[in-house]
Each structure stands twice: as C-alpha cells, then as structure tokens.
C-alpha cells in the first residue's frame, strides 16, 4: 500500500478542515461529489495577532456552512473583513452574496461579474488586511478567471482548482485552455522554487506539504495525457467522446463528462500546435 508521504505532493493525513498553517484555517463545505472530492475548502486567513480575517472561496449557497465559517473566525477572535474568489465555479462562488450579507464584506474577484461592493482583483495585486499579505497570481487554464493567492509568511499557495489536494483538475473547455493551464503550472513551479513555497492549500482535498512535487506531478501527468490523446487520434479515434472511451477506459464512467472537457481542450491544443490534422 502507498503511504500518504509517497503520494504526489505529500497530502496531509487526517480529516480535512481546521488549522493548516499559522495563518490559514479550513472550513470544509458539505458538498462532496466526484468533482468536488470531500467538498469545497473555504479558507479563513489572518495574521495571528490581528482581529481581521480574509475568507477565500465561501463555497456553495449553504447557510449552515456559511454560518460555520463566520463562527470559526469569531471563535478565533477574528472578524471577516474581506472575501476573495479563486474563480467563478458555483461550488466556490454561489454562497458569496449571502456570505457578504452575513459579514458586511466586499467580494473581490478577477471577473467583474463576480464582484460585490466595488474593487476587483488585478494581476500582481497585493491584498493587505490586518497586516496580512496575499499576492494575487494569474493562473488561467482551469477557467479563464482562475487565480491563486501566495501567502509568503507561511510559504503557502491557495490554488483553488488549479492544483487539487487529490487527483488532477479539469481544464474546463471551452473557457479553460490547455496552453494557458500549462503556462500557469510552470509559473507556479518557478514561484515555488524562487520563493521557497512549501505548502499547497487547495480548493478541494487535503493540504499538500510538497508544493514542488505536486506541481511537477501535474506537469508530468498533463504531458502523458497529451501524448495519449495524440496517439489515440493517430489511431483513428477522432471525437472527444471516442478519445475519452479509449484513453480513460480505466476511469470511473461518472467522471467521463469532465474528462471529455479536458480532452476537448487537449484536441484544441494539439490542433493549434499542428500536432494533429
């Protein structure tokens, strides 16, 4: 049997939720599924000596969960002062408006359609709340509006759905693009080396204690899948559905619709680079 320390990224053992670093605490949303894994990770982030907190991805529209986020922050002596979004998928965003009502906070996102209360997020922005510093990183690919947040003080990255705590993410074609996603992974890899990032705090699944190992695994996995798709096309499998049935034959069929989105993105990428006709 493979131990947790041997799995890609060294996933942290134990239940998901609770304190993850000196500044980050996870509240797990009750929305488990094949796509959301154990559920959406809502992150409360604050300096230890500050009474102000930032929440990343309030999650689904579930009042019990949203109240639990507020209660968890208050139990630690914190008041939620700002809400940030990694991207606009419903399992991360649907609860944002209700959460803003509960906390009186603004919601900042890259996509103007997701913002509440004015100011958005720009690439390279540094969010400062209660002495906290979160650096905004552009990481399109899973979706066009995907962001990650670098927390230098904890040598950590909040990755939303760009890097998961278990398995691999979907490049959600047509909005998601494989070329963008590969570029995003390479930027995260460079950041992990340059800034000694050690911990990944994902949007789903357990915390990863080997950031570089996790990103390297993703890059290798994508290269292998791309080669498999290219070979499948060369062997006469033309449609995305045909390629999925061939390449993902050993994957649970409930995940095939999501796999088809990624395959469409891969076929587009291969076509753009002249690797298939």
């Amino acid at each position: 049997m493979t131990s947790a320390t041997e799995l890609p990224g060294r996933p942290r053992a134990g239940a998901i939720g609770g304190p993850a670093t000196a500044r980050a605490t996870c509240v797990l949303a009750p929305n488990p599924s094949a796509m959301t894994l154990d559920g959406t990770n809502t992150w409360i982030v604050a300096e230890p000596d500050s009474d102000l907190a930032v929440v990343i991805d309030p999650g689904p529209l579930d009042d019990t969960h949203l109240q639990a986020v507020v209660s968890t922050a208050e139990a630690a002596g914190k008041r939620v002062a700002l809400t940030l979004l990694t991207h606009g998928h419903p399992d991360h965003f649907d609860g944002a408006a209700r959460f803003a009502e509960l906390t009186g906070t603004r919601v900042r996102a890259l996509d103007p359609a997701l913002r509440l209360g004015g100011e958005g997020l720009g690439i390279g922005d540094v969010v400062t709340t209660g002495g906290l510093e979160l650096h905004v990183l552009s990481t399109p690919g899973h979706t066009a509006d995907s962001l990650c947040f670098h927390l230098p003080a904890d040598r950590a990255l909040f990755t939303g759905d760009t890097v998961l705590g278990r398995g691999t993410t979907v490049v959600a074609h047509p909005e998601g693009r494989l070329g963008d996603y590969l570029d995003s992974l390479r930027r995260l890899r460079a950041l992990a080396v340059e800034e000694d990032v050690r911990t990944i705090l994902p949007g789903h699944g357990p915390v990863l204690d080997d950031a570089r190992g996790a990103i390297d695994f993703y890059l290798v996995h994508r290269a292998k899948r791309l080669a498999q798709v290219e070979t499948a096309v060369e062997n006469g499998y033309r449609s995305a559905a045909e390629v999925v049935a061939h390449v993902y034959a050993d994957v649970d069929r409930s995940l095939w619709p999501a796999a088809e989105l990624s395959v469409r993105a891969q076929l587009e990428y291969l076509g753009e680079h002249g690797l298939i006709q």
Side-chain angles (χ1 to χ4, degrees), residues 146-170:
S146 286
L147 299 173
C148 291
F149 301 104
H150 178 209
L151 177 59
D154 285 349
R155 295 176 177 173
L157 269 173
F158 297 94
T159 55
D161 284 357
T162 298
V163 178
L164 304 178
R166 185 172 67 250
T168 56
T169 199
V170 173

Side-chain angles (χ1 to χ4, degrees), residues 8-256:
R10 295 211 325 265
R12 196 172 293 180
I16 295 171
T21 69
R23 292 164 180 81
T25 295
C26 176
V27 181
L28 179 64
N31 61 333
S33 73
M35 293 298 295
T36 61
L37 305 181
D38 309 87
T40 300
N41 294 335
T42 295
W43 291 100
I44 302 169
V45 198
E47 285 296 316
D49 59 355
S50 174
D51 62 352
L52 299 179
V54 173
V55 164
I56 298 173
D57 289 348
L61 181 54
D62 181 302
D63 233 51
T64 300
H65 170 64
L66 300 176
Q67 293 281 3
V69 176
V70 174
S71 298
T72 301
E74 290 178 345
K78 314 292 185 186
R79 175 177 65 83
V80 179
L82 181 64
T83 302
L84 304 178
L85 299 176
T86 61
H87 65 296
H89 277 167
D91 54 309
H92 295 257
F93 164 72
D94 269 3
R98 174 60 178 151
F99 191 68
E101 291 177 3
L102 292 172
T103 58
T105 61
R106 294 169 295 142
V107 177
R108 297 182 63 184
L110 181 63
D111 185 347
L114 304 179
R115 302 171 188 170
L116 296 172
E119 187 181 9
L121 287 173
I123 307 310
D125 283 355
V126 179
V127 175
T128 55
T129 300
L132 185 74
E133 278 195 13
L134 286 168
H135 296 247
V136 181
L137 308 174
S138 173
T139 52
H142 171 66
T143 61
D145 69 329
S146 286
L147 299 173
C148 291
F149 301 104
H150 178 209
L151 177 59
D154 285 349
R155 295 176 177 173
L157 269 173
F158 297 94
T159 55
D161 284 357
T162 298
V163 178
L164 304 178
R166 185 172 67 250
T168 56
T169 199
V170 173
V171 178
H173 185 272
E175 183 188 5
R177 294 176 59 84
L178 182 59
D180 291 343
Y181 186 63
L182 294 173
D183 288 343
S184 293
L185 290 176
R186 294 182 189 111
R187 282 196 298 274
L188 291 181
R189 179 62 165 79
L191 179 78
V193 172
E194 293 164 6
E195 299 293 334
D196 193 23
V197 174
R198 300 180 182 181
T199 306
I200 284 179
L201 306 171
H204 303 280
V207 172
L208 299 176
D209 286 318
D210 178 11
R212 295 184 209 176
I215 297 166
D216 284 344
F217 168 75
Y218 265 56
L219 286 165
V220 170
H221 171 80
R222 285 294 166 191
K224 288 180 177 177
R225 280 294 193 215
L226 197 59
Q228 289 173 329
V229 170
E230 184 178 2
T231 299
V233 172
E234 290 172 351
N235 289 334
Y237 300 94
R238 289 292 174 177
S239 72
E242 289 173 339
V243 172
V244 167
H246 178 68
V247 172
Y248 292 79
D250 59 342
V251 174
D252 189 323
R253 281 177 174 261
S254 68
L255 298 176
W256 281 16

